[in-house]
Amino acid sequence: MKLKIALLAAICISSCATAYSQDTSAQLQITGAVSDSESSCALSLSTSSITLKSVELSSLPSQGGNEIATNNTDSIAIHMTGDKCKTTGLKFVGNTDTTEGNTLLNSLTSDTSAKGVGIGVYNPHGDAIDFSKKVSPTWEIYQGNYAIYLRMVKLTGETPTMGDVQSSLTVQLESL
């Protein structure tokens, strides 16, 4: 009988310890980068956030194309430094429209947010940037400074309504 109780106690302790260890967990996030110490290319932005100029609903341009005018747009400079920049392009990543893939969508969804309005991103020539492609400008021409222009636009096939607009854009280096 004593053996049965001791065995039962040992099984219970083992089960309880196992159950307890299953309820505890830990999370580890690992990040890092691999780089070539012989050559590099570094990217920086002239600003990490921008407030776009207010636009009247009736004067919103359609998305895409090259309808930007420098007095109606806001710009950010992308600075690239390093000897490997000549073989490095840019990739723009963001939540874009499914129709043309060249406009950032409004991430706000409240009653006070604009509907049918996105943020057009344009290259130095005024052409809408296609988010599905890499941008490989000739860095010697731009001397390591590549400007992008941003402007609120009317999304294709939608009726815009006034309100707040917010979006985010990631600019990353891409080997060519």
Side-chain angles (χ1 to χ4, degrees), residues 141-155:
I141 293 173
Y142 298 107
Q143 298 176 341
N145 297 302
Y146 187 77
I148 57 171
Y149 297 89
L150 304 126
R151 166 173 210 174
M152 286 186 269
V153 296
K154 178 178 81 166
L155 294 174

Side-chain angles (χ1 to χ4, degrees), residues 21-103:
S21 67
Q22 289 175 350
D23 288 342
T24 348
S25 63
Q27 217 172 22
L28 174 65
Q29 292 183 350
I30 302 170
T31 59
V34 176
S35 62
D36 181 356
S37 60
E38 294 178 22
S39 62
S40 65
C41 182
L43 177 139
S44 64
L45 301 175
S46 59
T47 184
S48 60
S49 66
I50 189 167
T51 301
L52 297 178
K53 295 176 180 120
S54 295
V55 178
E56 288 186 25
L57 201 58
S58 61
S59 64
L60 278 175
S62 298
Q63 78 178 88
N66 56 359
E67 302 176 20
I68 70 161
T70 53
N71 60 344
N72 291 330
T73 60
D74 295 285
S75 66
I76 293 176
I78 301 169
H79 306 290
M80 293 178 66
T81 55
D83 56 347
K84 198 170 182 176
C85 291
K86 293 176 183 175
T87 60
T88 303
L90 297 174
K91 177 78 174 166
F92 295 93
V93 181
N95 187 17
T96 61
D97 68 292
T98 56
T99 309
E100 298 182 33
N102 61 11
T103 303

